[in-house]
Each structure stands twice: as C-alpha cells, then as structure tokens.
C-alpha cells in the first residue's frame, strides 16, 4: 500500500479541489492528461503565471479544473486566444488545451500558423479519434474502418481521407526551436515527461511546443475497460507512433 | 467675386499622375489654411480604367466627399473627357491636354479594384506617348459649355522641353494659374515636401519639377495675357 | 516612453492614418490584424508607429485568429484592438460574440465596403446592421458612427475609454470613403484636454487571484441570470453614452436622418434647403448602438415627414422605424443607395419632391 501511495500521490496542488470529482466520463483519458499537466505546473512552480485556455468539446469541461487562471474560448480558437495573451504579456505561461477536432479540423489553420510563427505557447491536444462531446462523430483522427456516428459502416479513407498525423505535420513545419511529441495516457510517466519538456521549452523562450496524447473514450467507443485499453494500446498506435518527434536544439549559451 | 468654394476633378489614365495632382492640390490648400478634402477614384468614371481625383477646397466645413459639378475639370485623356463631361457646368474652367501626340498609354486596367490603394508618384514616368494624332476636343455637356477652355500641349512640352514624367506638374501649374485657387508658391512648397526623400536622392528632380510647374503656369499666363481671362 | 503629441497639432491625412495616431494617443498597446481593403493602411501606419512607442502588432492567419488574439491581448490586461471590413467583419463576429459574453473590452475599427460577398473594396454603409447586431445570441456592444476625420480621432479615444469603463466590445464604424479620403484634423494628447485615459485591469495573470472565465453554461437559468445582469449594465451605460446631433427647424416639414459620412451630405442639404425657405430638420445618430431612440422620437413627433438617407438598402431605416413605432405618424421615406456614395445635390432633389411647395409650408405653420 505504501508503494502505491507513493506512486499515486494526492491530487496536484494546482488542481482546483472544488471542481473535483471532475466532470469527465468514467474511463476518459482527459483526467490523466490533465493530471500530467497539473504535476508539471506544481513541479515547475508556475501556477501563478499559468493561463489555461480550453477549447470547445470535452476539453471545455476542464475550464475550472485547475487552480490557475483559465479561459473558455470557442471551438478551434484557443490557440489564437492564448497566443494573443502571450504576445501582450510574455510573462505568462500559456497552455492551449484541445481535442483532435478543435486542433486538426476547425482550428487547423491556427495550429499551422501558430507553429509557423513559432509562437511561444504550449499546445496540448487529446486525440481520442472521435468528436466526443457531440456524440461520437468522425474526427480527423478516426482510424480507417472505425465506426462512428457519421461513419456507421466504418471510416472509408477513400472517401474521407487518412487519419491526421498532427505532431508529424507540426514537426515538419516548425523551426528547430520547437518541441513536438506524441504520448499516450496509457503511459503516464512518459506523457508527463513530454508535457514537462513542452512547458520548459516555453519557459526557456525557445518556441512552439506541441504534445498530442492518445486518449480513450469508452463512452463513444462503446468499449469496456479492457477493450478501451486494448484499442488505445494496440489499434491507435498502429497509425499514431509514440515518441518525441522534435527536440529543440539547445544553444551552448543556454546550456551554460 | 473670387470663388470661396472649389470643386476640382482631375481625371486621366492610370500612370498619368492624376492622383498626385489631387493630393498636392489638397495638401497645398491645407497648408494655406483652408479646408480641403481629397478622395481618390470614387466615381463611375473609373469604370474601364480612368483614374479620377476629386478635390474640394473651401473656407468652411466641407460636406460629402462626392459632388456632381466641377468648377475646375481637368480630363487628361480622350476617355477621361468623355467620362467626365457630366461635371461641366456653365462656370467650369476646363483644362485639357491639346498636344498633337498620342495621349499617355494605359497599362493599368484594374484601377477600380486595387490600383487606387496606392498612389505611386513614380508610376507615371513613362506615360507620355509619341505617336502623332488629332488633338482631343472638349465635349459639351447637354448643351452646357464650360466658361473657359484652356488647352495646353503638356505632353509635347514635357517631351520636348523637360521629361515625360513631369507631365502632371505642368498640368498642376496650369490648374493653379488658371483658377487662382491657391498661390503657386504654396503648391511649390507642398511639392517639395511631398517628394522630400526622393528629392534628396536625385537633386535634379527638384529643378525639373519646379520648372514643369512654372512652365504650366507661364503657358497659361502668356497664352491668355492678350485675350484676357474670361 | 516618447510623448506622442508635444502640443496640439493640425494634420492632413487619410482616415486610416488618423486611426493609427488616435489608437496611439488612446494608449492602445497592441493591434492584431489581417489584411482586407479598405482598412489595410491602419495596419501599415500602426506598424510604422508602434515600434517607436513600444507598442505591439501581430499579423495573424485570418480574421478569426486576429479577433481571438485581440481577446487574448485584452484578457492579458492590454488595450488591444483590431480592424476589419466586409467579409472580414463577418468572420470577426465570432470573436466579437465571445467578447460580448465574457465582457472583454476589445475595440474594433470597421471600414465598410460594398457587399454582399466580396462586392467592392470601395465603400458602403451596408455593414451597419452586422456591426450593431452581428453574432449569435443578442450580444451587447457599443457602436460609434463617425463622419469626419476629427471625429475618427475623438471617438477612437472615447471608444477605448468607454470599452474599458463599461467592458462591452466597442466599435468605431467608418467606411471606405473615410478610410481613404484626406482632410485636416487636430491631433492632441487627451490628457492635455482633461480627458484621463481609462486604466486597464487584466483578467488573467493577476497575482494572488485565480480567475476562471467561462462562456458556456449548463442550465437555462444560469445563462438568463448572466444576460439579465449584462442587459441591466448595458442599459445603464446606454443612458450615459448615447449620442446624437439634431439641428435645423424644430417643427420641420421634412426631417432628414443619416449617419456616418452620409450625414455630411444631408447636413449640407438641410442647410441649403433652409436657405431656399423650406422647413427642414436634421437628425444624426452618433451612437448606432445604443440608438438615440428618445431623442429621435422627440423631433420626429414634431415632423411632418421623414427622409432616411443611407448607402444601404434600409439598415438605418429599420432602426428609425423601430424607434418610432407607435410614437410618430410621420411617413418614413428612404433615399437608399446600397454601396453608393450620396451627394448633397441628390438629397436636395429627393427632398424637394417630398416637400410642399415653397411659401405654402411657411403659411401652413404660421
């Protein structure tokens, strides 16, 4: 018991206790992703400077998740809001939190252009392969053959394209000051390491940081616990390889 | 009685420097302590590539940026003559280029959309043609003739005595002298201020522009000295 | 930081340039923008001036981004602004509605162009309704309609001050004519005229205070409560900021009504018609939202006929009709020229068709 307690300490200090238990469905991946962020905020001692922007979609439910300044935005528009805040006050540590629909569909132009401009912001994107809040429609990340509300016979890539490889795209267009990684809520320590790197990259003033986390949605996948983990671990990783895709070059000056 | 309120229309082909004439007139009026309003290319005349500058100069507040009749009308191409004749009233001073060479060539057909975004003083440098032609004739607007018609061979003068690019400054000199809307010295001041950076780079430009302005002025003075001003 | 205007100074410039200087004088910290004609030169002049005075600029990938980044800038506690026109104004309504819901005091400059669609880059008054009432829901905003370059300067100062005092998104509504034409005005430091610049307060990044800002509600009553509070505050503001100008005969045979640059033509027409012996009044709303309803009712109630003049097909006219419903029997006519400039001469011709023959009118009233 003692060991388990150590590995699962009390909720992060930066979490807002008044909004717990949180509003996500049982088995949802958001809680794990946000726990990683919460612990990173604690470890870096940046709660006072952090601004958490959340998109529309299930990520919206995190609007009072943290004991840090938070702002709801519109679907797809979280990146420009936090980029605008960062440009106006560079002291802030800004995080844009969104799902795959917000980041890769309706807000894709903002992701692409913020990345190209090397905005000093951190974007965290939960990829659960569906539009979850609206009832499980096809998302840009839906796997070929995957059944969703709008692909009842399974996604046909001929008709609707291949799943969006977000981090690969962002890595391809960013400068060597950017940090880009894909983790999974199934591997918490590694995901947390990526989130920390992403925030540290912003703290160091190097540039754009982007972490996608593969995340489960048992409600819309209609899966039980075992099937959920299996889909996340075995199916999704076939299309979405895990790991750091771009690690910023650190100048000699910065190393000293 | 000296006119207290002036409505001036300068129209021509893209590249003739029409907008610069409008700008300098309006800014000179401002320098002379008058109210002035200049607006580029907001008339139906621009349809098909005619560039039009509308200037109002007054001693009191000026109403709408658009107006219907011009006290000074300066069409600088045949198309501009046709398209602006509705501005003629019985007290209009009509100034046009009566050179016997081809009017300036049009290369900008899209003035209406983007051309008027920027007024580029350098764009009219190659505007004056060389082909012989019949001089244009000032039209009559539904039986109404302008009070005074001033024909000035500005294209020929520019090409033979100065440089093609200062064609519009000759016209400006003629406008100011024929209408007496402003003292020529204020216009000179504005011109030099306006071309400030360029003039420092090319000293001969200063001389060239001032000579062109003066040439337009003296042409009107000498031509109508004997006959008297209408 | 450098002083902007050491003393009051006359200047001769385009309306777009006036906005850049006025925003500087109003203490604007940062502009976010995306190119669209005819507002581009606001960005051109701002980017020339801003670095000299330690102010910021960001060109974004589209109007959605420019608008939302403006909201981020304001929430970070800076006087941020944005400018757009036409189709850009349509996209901009999305961030504007967020500003309405969350009471984010951003300032927008709209230079109306022809519509619908791409239409012309030149001029219109066809974005009046969109600028006053765009967005989903019944958002609350403050809209000033200017007519001269001096007003562009004065109302820009006012827009920033009132945005931050009342915390509603605030607009300076201009048009392509005002954007591009040149005329003279006086530039000044508002503080030398006794106008204090409104201070700002960040919604984010305040030490020792955690703030959660929301625009999404779970239940109907929660939203209704919030909107009712906003509405009450907006109505309070409306009483304090509503502006109009009224001139001419107090019991006119014809009341001319126009806003923005068109009111220059109607004012001139009113003056000339009165010189001809007609009984003519003139009413101009300066705030289009809130609309000066009571003031209009007062003069309209004493008018025989009303002529609304606008470069649109009835946008101001519907505001006028709405304001007068049940309060005035005077017929409301329109000189409606969507996307077209209007001259004083046109107004006079239209007015003379409506007005009783000269001499008769005077006898009628004496």
């Amino acid at each position: 018991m003692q060991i388990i307690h150590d590995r699962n300490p009390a909720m992060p200090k930066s979490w807002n206790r008044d909004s717990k238990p949180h509003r996500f469905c049982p088995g949802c991946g958001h809680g794990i992703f946000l726990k990683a962020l919460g612990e990173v905020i604690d470890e870096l001692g940046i709660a006072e400077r952090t601004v958490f922007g959340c998109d529309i979609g299930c990520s919206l439910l995190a609007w009072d998740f943290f004991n840090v300044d938070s702002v709801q935005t519109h679907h797809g528009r979280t990146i420009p809001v936090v980029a605008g805040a960062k440009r106006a006050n560079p002291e802030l540590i800004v995080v844009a939190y969104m799902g795959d629909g917000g980041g890769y569909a309706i807000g894709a132009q903002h992701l692409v252009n913020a990345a190209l401009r090397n905005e000093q912001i951190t974007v965290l994107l939960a990829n659960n392969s569906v539009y979850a809040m609206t009832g499980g429609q096809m998302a840009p990340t839906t796997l070929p053959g995957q059944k969703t509300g709008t692909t009842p016979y399974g996604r046909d890539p001929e008709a609707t394209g291949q799943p969006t490889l977000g981090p690969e795209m962002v890595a391809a267009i960013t400068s060597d000051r950017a940090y880009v990684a894909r983790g999974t809520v199934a591997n918490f320590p590694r995901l947390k390491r990526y989130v920390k790197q992403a925030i540290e990259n912003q703290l160091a003033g190097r540039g754009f940081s982007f972490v996608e986390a593969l995340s489960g949605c048992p409600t819309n996948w209609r899966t039980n616990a075992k099937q959920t983990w299996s889909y996340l671990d075995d199916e999704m990783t076939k299309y979405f390889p895990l790991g750091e895709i771009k690690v910023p070059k650190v100048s000699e000056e910065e190393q000293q | 009685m000296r006119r207290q309120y002036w409505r001036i229309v300068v129209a021509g082909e893209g590249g003739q420097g029409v907008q610069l004439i409008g700008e300098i007139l309006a800014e000179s009026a401002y320098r002379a302590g008058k109210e002035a309003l200049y607006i580029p290319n907001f008339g139906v005349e621009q349809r098909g590539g005619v560039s039009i500058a509308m200037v109002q100069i007054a001693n009191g507040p000026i109403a709408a940026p658009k107006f219907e009749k011009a006290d000074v009308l300066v069409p600088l191409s045949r198309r501009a003559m046709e398209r602006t004749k509705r501005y003629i009233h019985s007290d209009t001073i009509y100034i046009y280029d009566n050179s016997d060479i081809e009017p300036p060539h049009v290369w900008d057909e899209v003035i209406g959309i983007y051309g008027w975004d920027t007024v580029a003083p350098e764009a009219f440098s190659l505007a004056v043609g060389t082909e012989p032609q019949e001089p244009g004739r000032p039209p009559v607007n539904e039986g109404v003739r302008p009070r005074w018609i001033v024909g000035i061979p500005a294209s020929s003068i520019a090409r033979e005595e100065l440089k093609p690019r200062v064609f519009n400054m000759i016209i400006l000199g003629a406008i100011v002298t024929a209408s007496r809307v402003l003292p020529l010295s204020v216009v000179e001041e504005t011109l030099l201020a306006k071309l400030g950076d360029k003039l420092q780079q090319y000293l001969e430009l200063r001389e060239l522009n001032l000579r062109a302005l003066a040439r337009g002025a003296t042409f009107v003075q000498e031509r109508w000295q004997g006959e008297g001003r209408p | 930081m450098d002083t902007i205007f050491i003393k009051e100074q006359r200047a001769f410039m385009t309306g777009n340039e006036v906005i850049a200087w006025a925003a500087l004088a109003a203490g604007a910290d940062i502009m976010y923008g995306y190119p669209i004609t005819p507002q581009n030169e606001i960005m051109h002049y701002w980017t020339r001036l801003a670095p000299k005075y330690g102010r910021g600029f960001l060109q974004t990938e589209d109007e959605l981004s420019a608008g939302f980044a403006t909201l981020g800038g304001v929430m970070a506690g800076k006087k941020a602004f944005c400018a757009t026109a036409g189709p850009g104004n349509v996209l901009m309504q999305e961030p504007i509605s967020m500003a309405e819901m969350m009471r984010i005091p951003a300032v927008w400059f709209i230079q109306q162009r022809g519509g619908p669609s791409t239409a012309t880059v030149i001029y219109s008054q066809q974005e009046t309704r969109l600028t006053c009432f765009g967005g989903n829901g019944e958002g609350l905003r403050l809209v000033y309609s200017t007519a001269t370059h001096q007003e562009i300067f004065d109302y820009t100062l006012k827009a920033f001050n009132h945005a931050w005092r009342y915390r509603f998104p605030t607009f300076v509504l201009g048009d392509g004519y005002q954007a591009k034409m040149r005329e003279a005005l006086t530039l000044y430091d508002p503080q030398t005229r006794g106008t204090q610049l409104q201070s700002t307060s960040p919604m984010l990044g305040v030490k020792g205070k955690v703030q959660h800002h929301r625009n999404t509600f779970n239940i109907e009553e929660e939203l209704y409560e919030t909107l009712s509070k906003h509405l009450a505050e907006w109505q309070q503001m409306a009483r304090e900021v509503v502006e109009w100008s009224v001139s001419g005969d107090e019991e006119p045979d014809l009341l001319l009504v126009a806003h923005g640059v068109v009111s220059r033509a109607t004012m001139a027409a009113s003056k000339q018609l009165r010189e001809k012996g007609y009984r003519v009044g003139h009413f101009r709303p300066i705030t289009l939202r809130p609309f000066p309803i009571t003031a209009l009712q007062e003069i309209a109630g004493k008018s025989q006929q009303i002529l609304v003049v606008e470069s649109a097909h009835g946008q101001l006219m519907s505001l006028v009709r709405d304001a007068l419903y049940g309060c005035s029997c005077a017929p409301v006519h329109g000189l409606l020229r969507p996307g077209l400039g209007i001259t004083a001469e046109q107004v006079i011709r239209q007015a003379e068709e409506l007005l009783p023959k000269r001499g008769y009118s005077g006898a009628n009233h004496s």
Side-chain angles (χ1 to χ4, degrees):
Chain A
M1 289 310 284
Q2 191 58 43
I3 292 163
I4 290 167
H5 183 77
D6 278 353
R7 286 185 59 201
N8 297 288
M11 65 175 78
K13 279 210 314 242
S14 58
W15 278 22
N16 176 12
R17 277 155 205 276
D18 297 340
S19 65
K20 306 295 171 296
H22 60 62
R23 305 183 186 90
F24 299 108
C25 304
C28 172
H30 274 296
I32 301 170
F33 201 177
L34 294 171
K35 182 170 182 180
L37 175 61
E39 289 186 4
V40 167
I41 291 172
D42 286 357
E43 286 169 22
L44 296 174
I46 54 168
E48 283 232 305
R49 298 165 64 190
T50 299
V51 170
F52 177 78
C54 56
D55 217 73
I56 301 300
C58 294
S59 47
L60 161 75
L61 300 175
W63 74 278
D64 60 351
F65 198 94
F66 293 103
N67 215 4
V68 307
D69 282 356
S70 307
V71 52
Q72 290 181 352
T73 67
H74 286 190
H75 194 26
R77 315 299 175 220
T78 309
I79 288 173
V81 171
V82 304
K86 181 77 179 185
R87 290 266 179 167
N89 181 2
E91 285 303 300
L92 300 175
I93 301 301
V94 300
V95 178
Y97 188 70
M98 66 199 62
D100 35 45
Y104 298 150
I106 192 168
Q109 77 271 37
H110 307 312
L111 175 64
V112 166
N113 285 281
L116 284 166
R117 290 196 301 263
N118 200 34
E119 293 285 351
Q120 308 284 308
I121 66 175
T122 299
V123 177
L124 303 180
L125 184 148
N127 169 4
N128 59 12
S129 81
V130 286
Y131 281 90
M133 183 168 260
T134 48
Q137 296 83 4
M138 183 184 75
T141 46
T142 297
L143 303 186
Q146 184 181 344
K147 288 180 180 170
T148 71
T150 49
T151 56
Y153 306 108
R155 180 178 190 173
D156 173 10
E158 286 293 312
T160 62
Q162 293 288 339
T164 302
L165 295 171
E168 286 79 358
M169 172 181 74
V170 171
I173 61 173
T174 39
S175 76
D176 59 12
R177 311 281 284 166
Y179 176 82
V180 185
R182 180 188 283 115
T184 170
V185 296
N187 187 337
F188 180 80
R190 193 151 79 150
L191 179 60
K192 182 180 154 186
R193 207 167 66 234
Y194 294 167
V195 172
K196 193 166 185 176
Q197 290 258 55
I199 299 283
E200 281 175 339
N201 200 42
Q202 183 182 164
L203 276 168
R206 275 190 289 267
F208 193 75
S209 310
F210 182 60
V211 178
E212 177 189 293
L214 302 184
S215 181
C217 181
T219 304
N220 285 294
W221 291 355
R222 297 184 171 77
T223 46
N224 63 26
K226 195 178 164 198
Q227 289 166 327
T228 302
W229 289 110
S230 154
Y231 199 79
L232 194 58
D233 274 341
D234 306 331
E235 298 304 316
M236 287 184 79
T237 51
K238 283 182 195 162
Y239 290 91
F240 304 119
L242 300 172
E244 286 178 317
I245 298 167
K246 192 171 225 173
V247 178
K249 286 199 181 112
V250 178
S251 66
E252 283 175 26
E253 204 178 310
E254 283 173 302
Q255 282 170 338
Q256 282 162 7
Chain B
M1 199 183 87
R2 285 284 295 272
R3 186 175 274 285
Q4 299 294 304
Y5 168 51
W6 290 88
R7 296 163 294 180
I8 304 169
V9 167
V10 188
E13 307 298 315
Q16 277 186 315
V18 159
Q19 300 303 341
L20 190 63
I21 295 176
E23 266 195 63
I24 293 177
L25 271 174
E27 209 163 312
S28 302
Y30 161 68
R31 278 171 179 266
K34 291 172 180 294
E35 291 289 333
L37 193 158
Y38 153 73
I39 194 161
N41 273 322
F42 287 97
V44 286
E45 300 75 19
Q46 64 183 299
R47 194 174 291 158
V50 171
S51 176
I52 178 162
M54 301 180 82
V55 179
Q56 295 175 80
I57 295 171
N59 293 333
I62 292 168
K66 265 177 141 175
F67 48 84
E68 294 183 0
K69 298 293 170 196
D71 307 307
V72 181
L73 176 58
V74 191
L76 296 175
S77 71
R78 288 199 186 178
R79 288 199 307 179
M81 283 180 171
E82 265 314 303
R83 284 168 204 262
T84 59
K85 67 181 179 190
R86 67 189 183 89
Y87 287 97
I88 295 171
H89 65 111
S90 57
D91 202 31
T92 299
I93 301 173
Y94 189 97
I95 301 171
Y96 75 111
D97 178 19
N98 66 353
S99 306
D100 53 2
I101 55 169
E102 179 193 77
H105 182 68
V106 185
W107 61 81
D108 180 7
E109 292 290 343
V110 289
I111 287 169
I113 299 295
Y114 295 110
W116 54 270
D117 266 1
T118 317
V119 177
E122 55 284 314
F124 52 85
S125 57
L126 299 171
V128 179
T130 53
E131 293 299 309
Q133 58 134 31
E134 273 293 301
R137 292 262 173 265
V140 177
N141 177 33
E142 294 170 357
V144 179
R145 291 185 170 280
R147 173 168 63 92
W148 184 20
I149 296 171
V150 179
I152 172 168
S155 298
S156 305
I157 295 173
R159 189 163 60 90
E160 285 160 15
E161 301 177 22
L162 299 155
K163 287 264 170 61
R165 66 164 68 155
V166 291
F167 161 80
N168 60 341
M169 290 300 111
I170 299 173
I171 295 290
L172 179 58
I175 293 172
V176 174
T177 310
S179 65
R180 296 177 183 164
V181 57
L182 295 165
L184 195 65
S185 59
V186 183
V187 178
E188 281 176 358
E189 259 174 52
T190 311
L191 170 68
L192 294 180
K194 198 113 194 113
L195 300 178
D197 290 350
K198 268 191 209 63
L199 288 180
Q200 278 180 353
Q201 233 177 324
Y202 308 101
L203 279 172
E204 74 275 20
L205 265 184
R206 179 193 160 89
E207 202 50 35
L208 190 63
N209 277 288
L210 290 179
R211 271 174 59 205
L213 199 63
R215 189 67 182 83
T218 50
F219 181 89
V220 172
Q221 263 162 9
E222 286 166 10
R223 172 72 182 73
W224 277 273
Q225 203 167 29
E227 294 175 30
R229 299 162 61 91
Chain C
M1 197 165 295
D2 293 347
T3 312
I4 298 160
F5 307 116
I6 296 159
K7 57 182 173 58
E8 299 205 350
Q9 62 191 72
R10 291 290 283 172
F12 190 76
M13 52 177 67
T14 66
N16 281 340
E17 190 174 0
V18 175
I19 290 172
W21 282 109
L24 210 55
D29 296 295
I30 186 165
M31 176 186 188
Y32 302 86
Y34 185 76
I36 190 164
T37 310
Q39 65 79 36
N40 294 313
E41 295 82 1
I42 301 175
M43 300 192 297
H44 299 174
Y45 289 113
W46 179 260
T47 49
R48 282 179 205 183
L49 296 171
K52 294 181 184 167
Y53 299 95
R55 318 291 173 91
F57 175 77
L58 176 66
Q59 182 175 329
T60 58
E61 61 275 18
D62 57 22
E63 282 89 354
L64 292 167
S65 185
F68 280 103
T70 306
L71 304 187
V74 170
M75 294 187 85
K78 304 293 180 182
K79 284 187 182 170
F81 71 101
C82 200
T84 193
N89 194 4
V90 174
L91 290 178
M92 212 57 95
Q93 294 305 318
E94 191 192 331
I96 291 164
S97 75
M98 177 162 143
E100 293 175 321
M101 186 75 250
M102 301 172 85
R103 302 287 296 272
I104 299 170
V107 173
W108 269 272
F109 295 91
I110 308 294
Q111 302 291 38
Q112 298 172 89
R113 52 185 267 175
S117 183
T118 316
T120 74
V121 297
I122 303 170
Y123 163 81
S124 85
Q125 292 189 313
Q126 295 172 290
E127 294 169 50
T128 300
R129 190 180 286 135
L130 180 67
T131 305
C132 290
F133 302 102
N136 65 316
E138 298 146 307
L140 300 166
R141 38 180 97 173
L142 172 54
V143 180
Y144 289 105
S145 173
T146 58
T148 66
H149 282 12
Q150 190 63 57
E151 286 187 359
I152 293 177
F153 191 87
D154 297 345
Y155 284 100
T156 296
L157 299 176
K158 209 173 243 188
F160 278 100
N161 264 5
H162 284 175
W164 283 90
R165 183 176 310 156
Y166 300 105
R167 303 191 78 91
F168 288 101
T170 300
F171 295 77
V172 177
L173 179 65
D175 55 68
Y177 283 3
Q178 294 187 67
K180 299 281 184 176
M181 72 190 200
R182 287 171 196 267
E183 70 177 353
L185 77 156
T186 302
L187 305 171
Y188 56 90
D189 177 344
Q191 314 202 59
T192 62
R193 291 196 181 183
T195 306
Q196 287 309 305
L197 294 181
Q198 193 73 24
S199 60
T200 62
S201 54
M203 298 167 76
L204 300 168
V206 182
K207 293 267 176 290
K209 183 181 176 190
V210 172
Q211 303 187 69
H212 295 102
H213 301 286
R214 63 195 300 210
N215 56 40
T216 315
F217 300 92
N218 300 322
I219 53 173
E220 296 161 48
E221 287 75 8
E222 219 175 358
L223 171 66
Y224 181 73
E225 208 175 290
T226 306
L227 294 183
S228 302
K229 181 172 171 286
H230 290 182
L231 197 61
E233 288 171 0
W234 189 83
Q235 280 160 344
Q236 177 61 37
M237 174 193 76
R239 285 190 283 276
E240 294 168 19
V241 303
V242 66
E243 272 188 66
W244 68 91
S245 80
V246 63
S247 61
D249 281 291
E250 283 175 14
E251 291 182 3
D253 286 332
L254 183 68
L255 178 69
L256 297 173
V257 183
H259 78 92
V261 77
V262 173
S263 68
R264 296 170 70 126
T266 48
M267 274 294 280
S270 162
K271 187 164 169 276
Q272 289 175 46
L273 286 162
R274 294 184 71 215
E275 282 164 6
K276 288 184 179 190
Y278 291 114
R279 301 172 65 92
V280 174
H282 188 270
F283 185 86
R284 171 193 166 205
I286 296 172
T287 48
L288 291 179
R289 205 160 173 221
F291 198 74
I293 295 172
T294 319
L296 178 60
Q297 284 172 347
E298 197 175 309
I299 179 79
K302 294 183 280 183
S303 306
Q304 298 300 313
Q305 293 189 86
I306 295 166
L307 176 61
V308 177
V309 184
E310 58 178 321
S311 295
H313 198 261
Q315 303 197 12
L316 175 63
M317 192 150 89
S318 66
L319 289 171
V320 168
R321 285 209 168 115
D322 215 34
L324 296 184
Y325 185 75
C327 292
S328 160
C329 300
V332 179
H333 308 280
L335 175 55
L336 310 176
R337 295 170 65 84
L340 260 185
I342 296 172
T343 62
E345 292 93 326
Q346 286 166 336
V347 179
I348 291 169
R349 281 195 296 272
Q350 180 81 25
E352 286 189 316
E353 277 180 31
L354 295 168
L355 279 161
K357 289 275 174 286
R358 241 179 301 171
Y360 172 75
S361 143
N364 201 23
H365 282 280
S366 56

